[in-house]
Amino acid sequence: QVQLIESGGGLVQAGGSLRLSCAASGRTFGSYAMGWFRQAPGKEREFVAGISGSGRITSRTDSVKGRFTISRDNAKNTVYLQMNSLKPEDTAVYYCAARQYGSTSVSESGYDYWGQGTQVTVSS
């Protein structure tokens, strides 16, 4: 079973930055498509960004496009989410997810494994 361990969340002032990390246990991490999702209180979980095993990025969420950057280091079995110019509306639990086969998905159902989530709180 692939295990995903997230870190890097916390409390930050509006306009600040955070870098989230997700470390994976899988032996074939380099072949997995990875995604970041977030869920704010009372809201549905939404796609933030995705990246294929080869590094191709999917960034279709208008609210974060241009501020958040996804990347991966296959040698470290880790995917990152660099979050800049944070806004209070970015406050949510952020989850990383792994998809064993196929291209990056923007839907929760497209992923096979999920991390525990890390809280990001942006104050005004």
Side-chain angles (χ1 to χ4, degrees):
Q1 179 177 320
V2 174
Q3 296 184 14
L4 306 174
I5 302 175
E6 295 148 318
S7 61
L11 176 65
V12 66
Q13 199 85 337
S17 298
L18 286 173
R19 188 195 194 200
L20 307 184
S21 299
C22 176
S25 64
R27 294 183 178 182
T28 56
F29 173 79
S31 68
Y32 300 161
M34 302 293 297
W36 284 99
F37 291 76
R38 67 183 182 182
Q39 187 167 23
K43 304 293 184 180
E44 294 185 349
R45 193 170 297 183
E46 68 173 344
F47 176 79
V48 175
I51 187 167
S52 73
S54 63
R56 188 176 184 87
I57 293 172
T58 299
S59 182
R60 299 175 181 175
T61 304
D62 290 340
S63 62
V64 306
K65 199 170 185 178
R67 298 188 296 119
F68 293 7
T69 302
I70 190 170
S71 62
R72 68 191 298 156
D73 186 341
N74 289 344
K76 296 182 178 180
N77 276 24
T78 301
V79 63
Y80 305 96
L81 184 68
Q82 179 66 47
M83 309 165 66
N84 298 326
S85 300
L86 283 162
K87 304 174 181 179
E89 51 262 45
D90 296 319
T91 296
V93 177
Y94 284 72
Y95 300 88
C96 90
R99 182 178 182 176
Q100 289 184 282
Y101 309 107
S103 60
T104 301
S105 175
V106 300
S107 300
E108 291 182 68
S109 61
Y111 292 87
D112 303 294
Y113 306 101
W114 290 84
Q116 80 285 359
T118 185
Q119 176 70 47
V120 172
T121 302
V122 184
S123 65
S124 60

